[in-house]
Amino acid sequence: DVQTCGCEGSWGLSPPPPPLPPHGAMVDTGILRAGFILGVFMLLDLSKFWISELFGTRAVWVLQQDVRALRHHVNNSSVSPRSAAHRHARERLLRDKERQLFELTTPSTRRALFYGHYLSVLKGTCGFVISVTFWGEPLFSVQRTSVWPLGRWLAVPHGHEWEAGSVGVAPWLVLSAAASVAICDGVVGPAMHFALRRAGRLDLGTRSPRTSEGEGVAGAAGGGKKTR
């Protein structure tokens, strides 16, 4: 009887549940995903920062925007005695901006602008691939009290399905893209620029030949006119 009871007792026992992964491992995986996304964006934005610093593409881009705005204003402004003086002033300013843009726009600057545009497209492509890869599952989770009252927003578009504290891939992509630009242009890039200049390993004076090249062409054209 005792042996039978022992057998019945062993048959009545359910198999032990499979071991759950430790909570720290789950958190670390989510943090690695989030850090990878932010790191990729920062690498691309930091490359754009150095292209702008070494080739002066930021000044060219600003001049391009100014020239477009001035052309639009001059072409659409009404002709009247009262606005004639203002229109002439805008036209003179437009000619000055166009001359500056012509001096700064060289073959190397055009290539740098193309590379910067390519990096922007690559950043968008990476964001699309990452969103498709991790869509439908929380990227990582944090305590709900840490993200209140933005818990539902951070889980868009699954805010009503996931638990509070879950962070989706779409909101994290938006935050990472904006934070990456701010960090690279405002902190990391200027700090690296300052450190390299202090160490004597960076000399941005190499940009002057491109400007002097435009000035040399203009001077040669002026000299040709005088000889004629």
Side-chain angles (χ1 to χ4, degrees):
D1 294 338
V2 175
Q3 184 177 1
T4 304
C5 292
C7 294
E8 290 177 355
S10 61
W11 292 340
L13 293 175
S14 59
L20 295 175
H23 179 69
M26 297 176 62
V27 173
D28 291 342
T29 302
I31 292 177
L32 287 176
R33 291 178 181 178
F36 172 76
I37 295 173
L38 182 60
V40 169
F41 285 172
M42 287 186 62
L43 180 62
L44 296 174
D45 289 329
L46 196 59
S47 301
K48 290 176 60 178
F49 173 84
W50 280 110
I51 288 175
S52 174
E53 287 294 318
L54 295 176
F55 294 94
T57 56
R58 188 183 302 274
V60 174
W61 184 83
V62 171
L63 280 174
Q64 287 177 344
Q65 302 303 314
D66 292 342
V67 167
R68 290 195 186 100
L70 286 171
R71 285 176 179 172
H72 178 76
H73 180 81
V74 170
N75 294 332
N76 296 334
S77 61
S78 59
V79 180
S80 63
R82 181 176 300 178
S83 63
H86 183 69
R87 179 186 176 90
H88 291 323
R90 289 286 182 177
E91 290 177 349
R92 288 194 300 270
L93 181 60
L94 176 59
R95 287 193 295 268
D96 293 338
K97 295 285 186 180
E98 288 176 341
R99 184 177 63 255
Q100 295 176 11
L101 183 60
F102 175 77
E103 294 175 356
L104 292 177
T105 305
T106 62
S108 59
T109 307
R110 293 191 186 96
R111 286 194 299 269
L113 288 170
F114 172 77
Y115 294 149
H117 177 72
Y118 175 77
L119 288 173
S120 298
V121 174
L122 183 60
K123 183 178 179 180
T125 304
C126 290
F128 175 77
V129 173
I130 292 172
S131 64
V132 172
T133 303
F134 297 107
W135 191 263
E137 59 176 311
L139 191 64
F140 63 96
S141 298
V142 295
Q143 295 181 357
R144 65 177 62 189
T145 56
S146 302
V147 294
W148 185 88
L150 303 176
R152 298 301 182 186
W153 182 85
L154 291 176
V156 169
H158 309 282
H160 298 286
E161 303 172 7
W162 297 346
E163 295 182 358
S166 299
V167 180
V169 64
W172 183 251
L173 284 173
V174 175
L175 291 175
S176 298
S180 173
V181 174
I183 293 173
C184 291
D185 292 350
V187 180
V188 178
M192 292 177 62
H193 182 276
F194 176 78
L196 290 174
R197 285 185 68 94
R198 293 282 294 180
R201 297 178 178 271
L202 182 65
D203 184 13
L204 296 182
T206 56
R207 289 186 298 179
S208 57
R210 291 193 288 272
T211 306
S212 61
E213 178 184 352
E215 295 175 353
V217 173
K225 293 179 181 180
K226 292 180 179 179
T227 55
R228 284 197 296 266

mmCIF file of all heavy atoms in Angstrom, residues 170-195:
data_model
loop_
_atom_site.group_PDB
_atom_site.id
_atom_site.type_symbol
_atom_site.label_atom_id
_atom_site.label_comp_id
_atom_site.label_asym_id
_atom_site.label_seq_id
_atom_site.Cartn_x
_atom_site.Cartn_y
_atom_site.Cartn_z
ATOM 1 N N ALA A 170 8.554 53.316 -33.099
ATOM 2 C CA ALA A 170 8.303 54.584 -33.793
ATOM 3 C C ALA A 170 8.608 55.804 -32.919
ATOM 4 O O ALA A 170 9.334 56.710 -33.348
ATOM 5 C CB ALA A 170 6.857 54.620 -34.296
ATOM 6 N N PRO A 171 8.096 55.878 -31.680
ATOM 7 C CA PRO A 171 8.465 57.031 -30.844
ATOM 8 C C PRO A 171 9.958 57.096 -30.544
ATOM 9 O O PRO A 171 10.535 58.188 -30.503
ATOM 10 C CB PRO A 171 7.653 56.817 -29.561
ATOM 11 C CG PRO A 171 6.532 55.929 -29.954
ATOM 12 C CD PRO A 171 7.088 55.047 -31.007
ATOM 13 N N TRP A 172 10.598 55.933 -30.371
ATOM 14 C CA TRP A 172 12.029 55.958 -30.075
ATOM 15 C C TRP A 172 12.830 56.429 -31.284
ATOM 16 O O TRP A 172 13.852 57.097 -31.127
ATOM 17 C CB TRP A 172 12.500 54.578 -29.623
ATOM 18 C CG TRP A 172 13.939 54.567 -29.232
ATOM 19 C CD1 TRP A 172 14.976 53.990 -29.902
ATOM 20 C CD2 TRP A 172 14.510 55.198 -28.083
ATOM 21 N NE1 TRP A 172 16.159 54.210 -29.244
ATOM 22 C CE2 TRP A 172 15.910 54.950 -28.120
ATOM 23 C CE3 TRP A 172 13.995 55.952 -27.023
ATOM 24 C CZ2 TRP A 172 16.772 55.428 -27.151
ATOM 25 C CZ3 TRP A 172 14.858 56.424 -26.059
ATOM 26 C CH2 TRP A 172 16.222 56.170 -26.123
ATOM 27 N N LEU A 173 12.399 56.108 -32.490
ATOM 28 C CA LEU A 173 13.079 56.609 -33.683
ATOM 29 C C LEU A 173 12.995 58.132 -33.766
ATOM 30 O O LEU A 173 13.978 58.798 -34.103
ATOM 31 C CB LEU A 173 12.476 55.973 -34.937
ATOM 32 C CG LEU A 173 12.867 54.525 -35.234
ATOM 33 C CD1 LEU A 173 12.047 53.986 -36.401
ATOM 34 C CD2 LEU A 173 14.350 54.417 -35.537
ATOM 35 N N VAL A 174 11.818 58.672 -33.466
ATOM 36 C CA VAL A 174 11.653 60.127 -33.506
ATOM 37 C C VAL A 174 12.541 60.794 -32.456
ATOM 38 O O VAL A 174 13.256 61.777 -32.735
ATOM 39 C CB VAL A 174 10.173 60.498 -33.301
ATOM 40 C CG1 VAL A 174 9.998 62.005 -33.209
ATOM 41 C CG2 VAL A 174 9.320 59.953 -34.447
ATOM 42 N N LEU A 175 12.514 60.261 -31.240
ATOM 43 C CA LEU A 175 13.339 60.842 -30.177
ATOM 44 C C LEU A 175 14.832 60.702 -30.487
ATOM 45 O O LEU A 175 15.618 61.634 -30.265
ATOM 46 C CB LEU A 175 13.012 60.155 -28.849
ATOM 47 C CG LEU A 175 11.631 60.432 -28.259
ATOM 48 C CD1 LEU A 175 11.409 59.585 -27.016
ATOM 49 C CD2 LEU A 175 11.467 61.905 -27.918
ATOM 50 N N SER A 176 15.231 59.546 -31.010
ATOM 51 C CA SER A 176 16.646 59.324 -31.304
ATOM 52 C C SER A 176 17.129 60.229 -32.428
ATOM 53 O O SER A 176 18.246 60.758 -32.376
ATOM 54 C CB SER A 176 16.880 57.854 -31.673
ATOM 55 O OG SER A 176 16.558 56.998 -30.604
ATOM 56 N N ALA A 177 16.297 60.420 -33.464
ATOM 57 C CA ALA A 177 16.702 61.274 -34.576
ATOM 58 C C ALA A 177 16.899 62.711 -34.124
ATOM 59 O O ALA A 177 17.883 63.365 -34.496
ATOM 60 C CB ALA A 177 15.650 61.204 -35.684
ATOM 61 N N ALA A 178 15.967 63.226 -33.306
ATOM 62 C CA ALA A 178 16.095 64.603 -32.823
ATOM 63 C C ALA A 178 17.250 64.743 -31.831
ATOM 64 O O ALA A 178 18.034 65.698 -31.891
ATOM 65 C CB ALA A 178 14.783 65.048 -32.185
ATOM 66 N N ALA A 179 17.367 63.783 -30.906
ATOM 67 C CA ALA A 179 18.442 63.858 -29.914
ATOM 68 C C ALA A 179 19.815 63.706 -30.557
ATOM 69 O O ALA A 179 20.786 64.331 -30.123
ATOM 70 C CB ALA A 179 18.237 62.783 -28.855
ATOM 71 N N SER A 180 19.906 62.898 -31.600
ATOM 72 C CA SER A 180 21.189 62.699 -32.268
ATOM 73 C C SER A 180 21.697 63.991 -32.889
ATOM 74 O O SER A 180 22.884 64.339 -32.758
ATOM 75 C CB SER A 180 21.052 61.611 -33.336
ATOM 76 O OG SER A 180 22.228 61.504 -34.102
ATOM 77 N N VAL A 181 20.824 64.721 -33.562
ATOM 78 C CA VAL A 181 21.235 66.001 -34.166
ATOM 79 C C VAL A 181 21.671 66.985 -33.088
ATOM 80 O O VAL A 181 22.704 67.665 -33.219
ATOM 81 C CB VAL A 181 20.081 66.575 -35.003
ATOM 82 C CG1 VAL A 181 20.437 67.961 -35.522
ATOM 83 C CG2 VAL A 181 19.757 65.648 -36.174
ATOM 84 N N ALA A 182 20.896 67.063 -32.005
ATOM 85 C CA ALA A 182 21.247 68.003 -30.931
ATOM 86 C C ALA A 182 22.564 67.633 -30.263
ATOM 87 O O ALA A 182 23.396 68.504 -29.965
ATOM 88 C CB ALA A 182 20.116 68.042 -29.901
ATOM 89 N N ILE A 183 22.786 66.349 -30.024
ATOM 90 C CA ILE A 183 24.008 65.924 -29.344
ATOM 91 C C ILE A 183 25.231 66.124 -30.239
ATOM 92 O O ILE A 183 26.272 66.626 -29.797
ATOM 93 C CB ILE A 183 23.885 64.448 -28.909
ATOM 94 C CG1 ILE A 183 22.809 64.305 -27.824
ATOM 95 C CG2 ILE A 183 25.214 63.923 -28.401
ATOM 96 C CD1 ILE A 183 22.501 62.869 -27.455
ATOM 97 N N CYS A 184 25.111 65.724 -31.511
ATOM 98 C CA CYS A 184 26.275 65.811 -32.406
ATOM 99 C C CYS A 184 26.615 67.257 -32.752
ATOM 100 O O CYS A 184 27.795 67.636 -32.756
ATOM 101 C CB CYS A 184 25.998 65.021 -33.685
ATOM 102 S SG CYS A 184 25.919 63.234 -33.430
ATOM 103 N N ASP A 185 25.608 68.083 -33.048
ATOM 104 C CA ASP A 185 25.874 69.471 -33.429
ATOM 105 C C ASP A 185 26.156 70.375 -32.241
ATOM 106 O O ASP A 185 26.814 71.410 -32.396
ATOM 107 C CB ASP A 185 24.685 70.030 -34.221
ATOM 108 C CG ASP A 185 24.545 69.369 -35.576
ATOM 109 O OD1 ASP A 185 25.465 68.631 -35.975
ATOM 110 O OD2 ASP A 185 23.515 69.576 -36.246
ATOM 111 N N GLY A 186 25.644 70.007 -31.067
ATOM 112 C CA GLY A 186 25.794 70.894 -29.917
ATOM 113 C C GLY A 186 26.794 70.458 -28.878
ATOM 114 O O GLY A 186 27.275 71.292 -28.101
ATOM 115 N N VAL A 187 27.153 69.159 -28.838
ATOM 116 C CA VAL A 187 28.026 68.672 -27.770
ATOM 117 C C VAL A 187 29.224 67.913 -28.339
ATOM 118 O O VAL A 187 30.373 68.358 -28.233
ATOM 119 C CB VAL A 187 27.240 67.774 -26.783
ATOM 120 C CG1 VAL A 187 28.159 67.273 -25.680
ATOM 121 C CG2 VAL A 187 26.056 68.518 -26.195
ATOM 122 N N VAL A 188 28.969 66.765 -28.968
ATOM 123 C CA VAL A 188 30.060 65.877 -29.369
ATOM 124 C C VAL A 188 30.911 66.505 -30.467
ATOM 125 O O VAL A 188 32.151 66.537 -30.383
ATOM 126 C CB VAL A 188 29.502 64.520 -29.822
ATOM 127 C CG1 VAL A 188 30.626 63.600 -30.280
ATOM 128 C CG2 VAL A 188 28.723 63.863 -28.694
ATOM 129 N N GLY A 189 30.259 67.019 -31.523
ATOM 130 C CA GLY A 189 31.011 67.609 -32.613
ATOM 131 C C GLY A 189 31.866 68.794 -32.193
ATOM 132 O O GLY A 189 33.083 68.819 -32.448
ATOM 133 N N PRO A 190 31.290 69.810 -31.521
ATOM 134 C CA PRO A 190 32.128 70.921 -31.054
ATOM 135 C C PRO A 190 33.218 70.491 -30.077
ATOM 136 O O PRO A 190 34.319 71.067 -30.092
ATOM 137 C CB PRO A 190 31.115 71.858 -30.388
ATOM 138 C CG PRO A 190 29.826 71.571 -31.067
ATOM 139 C CD PRO A 190 29.846 70.103 -31.355
ATOM 140 N N ALA A 191 32.940 69.502 -29.216
ATOM 141 C CA ALA A 191 33.979 69.049 -28.286
ATOM 142 C C ALA A 191 35.135 68.396 -29.032
ATOM 143 O O ALA A 191 36.312 68.645 -28.721
ATOM 144 C CB ALA A 191 33.374 68.057 -27.286
ATOM 145 N N MET A 192 34.831 67.563 -30.036
ATOM 146 C CA MET A 192 35.895 66.961 -30.833
ATOM 147 C C MET A 192 36.658 68.028 -31.620
ATOM 148 O O MET A 192 37.887 67.968 -31.739
ATOM 149 C CB MET A 192 35.291 65.930 -31.789
ATOM 150 C CG MET A 192 34.715 64.701 -31.106
ATOM 151 S SD MET A 192 33.946 63.573 -32.287
ATOM 152 C CE MET A 192 35.362 63.139 -33.301
ATOM 153 N N HIS A 193 35.918 69.010 -32.149
ATOM 154 C CA HIS A 193 36.546 70.100 -32.892
ATOM 155 C C HIS A 193 37.517 70.869 -31.998
ATOM 156 O O HIS A 193 38.659 71.173 -32.394
ATOM 157 C CB HIS A 193 35.456 71.013 -33.434
ATOM 158 C CG HIS A 193 35.961 72.147 -34.261
ATOM 159 N ND1 HIS A 193 36.400 73.338 -33.708
ATOM 160 C CD2 HIS A 193 36.105 72.277 -35.597
ATOM 161 C CE1 HIS A 193 36.788 74.146 -34.665
ATOM 162 N NE2 HIS A 193 36.619 73.538 -35.826
ATOM 163 N N PHE A 194 37.091 71.187 -30.782
ATOM 164 C CA PHE A 194 37.941 71.928 -29.849
ATOM 165 C C PHE A 194 39.166 71.105 -29.453
ATOM 166 O O PHE A 194 40.300 71.623 -29.390
ATOM 167 C CB PHE A 194 37.131 72.304 -28.609
ATOM 168 C CG PHE A 194 37.934 72.992 -27.540
ATOM 169 C CD1 PHE A 194 38.274 74.335 -27.661
ATOM 170 C CD2 PHE A 194 38.349 72.296 -26.414
ATOM 171 C CE1 PHE A 194 39.022 74.969 -26.679
ATOM 172 C CE2 PHE A 194 39.086 72.925 -25.430
ATOM 173 C CZ PHE A 194 39.431 74.263 -25.566
ATOM 174 N N ALA A 195 38.954 69.802 -29.189
ATOM 175 C CA ALA A 195 40.064 68.952 -28.774
ATOM 176 C C ALA A 195 41.091 68.803 -29.895
ATOM 177 O O ALA A 195 42.303 68.844 -29.641
ATOM 178 C CB ALA A 195 39.545 67.584 -28.348
#
